Structure formats: C-alpha cells, structure tokens
C-alpha cells in the first residue's frame, strides 16, 4: 500500500507525589495524537477514562422540560409562527422568499454572521431528546438546505464556500431549543474550511490521490475506528478528535454540494440520527455539526464532502463549559472516550437498526 497517511501517537509521562495514593510518587502516562491532515493534537490520559462524569454531569431532564415549556410559547419555529416572524429572501435569490420541504422551512437569519446565512427549521417539535430525532425530519431539512445551496450557486455565483451546520441546546450554543440547521457561506472560506481545503490540495499534490479516499481505505483496513455505511456515506471516528465524541461521515463520491443526490441526503440523515442515538447511549444530550463541501462547481478532486459531529456539555444547572483554554486558546482537544471505544459503541447502534 502506498498511502502516506500517518496516524501518529506521541507518549509523555507526568510525575508527582499524589495525596490520593498516600503521597507516593505517581507517574501518569499521556498519549498525544496528531490529526494526519491538519496536525491538530488531542491528548488522552487513561486515568481520566472512568472520570467522564467529572467533566460531563448527567443532563437534568426536568430542567430541559421546564426550559422547553417556557420557550415554546414564543418560539418562531413552532406552528405557523414562522410565516409572520421570519424574514424572506429577495425573489431573485429564492422566488418564493423561503424554501419549504415537508415540515422544513428555510429563511434568512435576522442577524447574519456571513454573506449567506440561512436558518432551516427541522421538524415541528419544539424539543426532542437526541434519540427521537427522526430521519424524515432531518432529510427534509437537508433537502431544503441543498435546494438553497443550488439556488445560491446560480443567483450568487461568487458565493462558492458553503457549509451546513447545527447547534443543539444551550450548552452547544443554540439560542432556541427548536431543532434547526444553519447554512453559512460567502466568497471566501471559513478558517477551518480554508485550512482543510489547502491541506487536502497539498496532500493530493504530494501523493497523487485524495486524502479522504485514502483515509477511508486505511480506516476500513484497520477497522478500529470504522463504524459503518449509510447510503453513500461512510462513518468513522476521528483518530485525533477536535471535539468530544467526534464522528465523521465521508461522502467518498461527492466533491461539493452540487454533486449531492437524494440518496446522499437519505444516507446522511440516517447516519446522523444513528450518531445522535449513540450520543444518547453515552448520556450526552447536545451536539454541534458541520457538513463541509469543496468550492461549489470546482470539481476539486482533492476534496470530498463530509460531516463532522461532536457532542457538547450536558444541560444542568450551573454547568461548566466543555471548552476551556486547552481547546479555545491552545487548540488541543481532550479525549475522555477513546475514538476506538466510541467507534465500538457507534457500531452497535449502526448495526442494531440495520434491519428496521
Ligand atoms: Zn419551537
């Protein structure tokens, strides 16, 4: 095999007198992983493996229900309120002003953070536990999001860098409980997208092959982090995660959003809901995700579309954020559940529902 992807681990030791062990000298082993494309590092201390509860206390269901109940009456995504309360696009961008697909509705964000910034309602329910996200609602929302991308591509040809994203619940950055996705984009890529597009191009130039295809090949060969396949999407856990419980779904045949089909959206929705069920099994209740695309219509063979999903802090009174200086300022991630153990949990969810 000529694949040049290197999955590097670096080991360190940290030694001190530990009062928990009668002040005996204690040496803890640290494993530092490096993402083979970006070089981003993550650190695993096996001694923290059974201490996940120190970092992520369980969600408080009564608190979630109270917050949901209190916000439902003023939610602009509930019922038909969006018809009065949400903005519309100019006719030359979206002829009907908004895009409706089943229960999904897409409209402009009132306070954009990018040249193009749309919001998509996901289903009619104001609040859903992660295990109740259904494939149909997610598919409708992705369908609306992709229809929007296609409209933007013809109405605003300079907008070539888009992504489909989401925050779920307060600790993950969502300002409303009602499930919703956000499409952001413009004439230049966001920092992370720019970085992975550049690195993918460099890899392709040096190796004469696509990093994302090669990554799937080695992950399928070793199997430690490979989860499964839904439609045209192949799912793995990240070797060096940049968020808690990071899962990637790679569309090996698609270079940008314009190449995506109904079948891809079906596969993406199915796998997405399974990952959320896996998070529920792990006791997590919030998430962030982004679906990345190569520049629209560029046919950039060094890149493949993929989704990156991470879980975030749970919902409870006075929760502590899961992002601290380590992530925000030093840009290293902390691994509490190893990618291999996470893949093992996810494989159970993916295979359990194969025959449903
Ligand atoms: Zn609502």
């Amino acid at each position: 095999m000529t694949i040049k992807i290197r999955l590097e681990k670096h080991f360190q030791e940290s030694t001190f007198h530990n009062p928990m062990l009668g002040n005996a000298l204690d040496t803890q082993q640290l494993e530092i992983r490096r993402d083979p494309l970006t070089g981003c590092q993550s650190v695993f201390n096996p001694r923290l493996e059974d201490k996940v509860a120190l970092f992520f206390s369980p969600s408080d269901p009564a608190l979630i229900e109270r917050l949901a109940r209190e916000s439902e009456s003023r939610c602009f995504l509930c019922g038909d309120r969006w018809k009065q309360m949400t903005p519309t696009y100019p006719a030359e961008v979206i002829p009907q002003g908004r895009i409706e697909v089943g229960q999904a509705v897409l409209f402009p964000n009132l306070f954009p953070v990018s040249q193009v910034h749309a919001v998509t309602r996901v289903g009619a329910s104001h609040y859903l536990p992660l295990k109740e996200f259904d494939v149909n609602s997610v598919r409708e929302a992705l369908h609306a999001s992709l229809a929007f991308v296609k409209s933007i591509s013809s109405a605003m040809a300079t907008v070539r860098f888009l992504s489909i994203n989401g925050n779920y619940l307060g600790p993950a950055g969502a300002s409303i409980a009602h499930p919703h996705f956000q499409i952001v984009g413009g004439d230049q890529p966001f920092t992370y997208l720019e970085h992975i597009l550049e690195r993918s191009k460099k890899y392709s130039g040096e190796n004469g092959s696509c990093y994302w295809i090669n990554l799937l090949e080695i992950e399928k060969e070793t199997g430690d982090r490979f989860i499964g396949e839904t439609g045209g999407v192949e799912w793995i856990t990240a070797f060096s995660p940049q968020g808690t419980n990071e899962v990637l779904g790679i569309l090996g045949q698609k270079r940008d959003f314009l190449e995506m089909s109904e079948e891809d959206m079906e596969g993406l929705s199915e796998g997405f809901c399974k990952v959320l069920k896996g998070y529920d099994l792990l006791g997590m209740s919030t998430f962030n995700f982004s679906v990345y695309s190569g520049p629209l219509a560029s046919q950039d063979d060094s890149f493949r579309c993929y989704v990156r999903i991470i879980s975030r802090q749970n919902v409870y009174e006075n929760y502590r954020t899961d992002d601290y200086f380590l992530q925000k300022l030093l840009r290293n991630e902390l691994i509490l559940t190893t990618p291999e153990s996470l893949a093992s949990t996810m494989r159970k969810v993916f295979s359990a529902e194969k025959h449903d």
Side-chain angles (χ1 to χ4, degrees), residues 292-333:
Y292 308 101
S293 161
L296 296 187
S298 67
Q299 297 172 340
D300 177 356
D301 221 24
S302 68
F303 194 76
R304 291 297 183 274
C305 295
Y306 72 98
V307 60
R308 186 176 180 219
I309 313 176
I310 58 173
S311 63
R312 296 296 307 274
Q313 185 52 276
N314 284 325
V315 184
Y316 51 94
E317 294 274 10
N318 303 317
Y319 67 82
R320 162 196 165 277
T321 179
D322 51 344
D323 264 1
Y324 59 106
F325 70 84
L326 187 72
Q327 293 89 348
K328 291 293 283 183
L329 298 176
L330 297 179
R331 301 286 170 90
N332 272 35
E333 185 51 72

Side-chain angles (χ1 to χ4, degrees), residues 71-79 81 121 123-127 176-179:
S71 60
E72 192 165 2
S73 60
R74 56 179 191 278
C75 174
F76 59 87
L77 294 180
C78 271
R81 277 184 220 130
R121 174 203 208 223
S125 300
H126 181 64
Y127 161 71
I176 57 169
H178 202 122

Side-chain angles (χ1 to χ4, degrees), residues 136 145 205 306:
N136 195 44
S145 304
Y306 72 98

Side-chain angles (χ1 to χ4, degrees), residues 84-115:
Q84 306 301 326
M85 296 176 73
T86 63
T88 53
Y89 278 103
E92 60 270 25
V93 178
I94 303 295
Q96 304 83 8
R98 304 183 188 95
I99 295 174
E100 286 180 59
V101 178
Q103 301 279 359
V105 188
L106 180 146
F107 52 87
N109 191 313
L110 262 182
F111 303 104
V113 297
S114 55
Q115 195 175 352

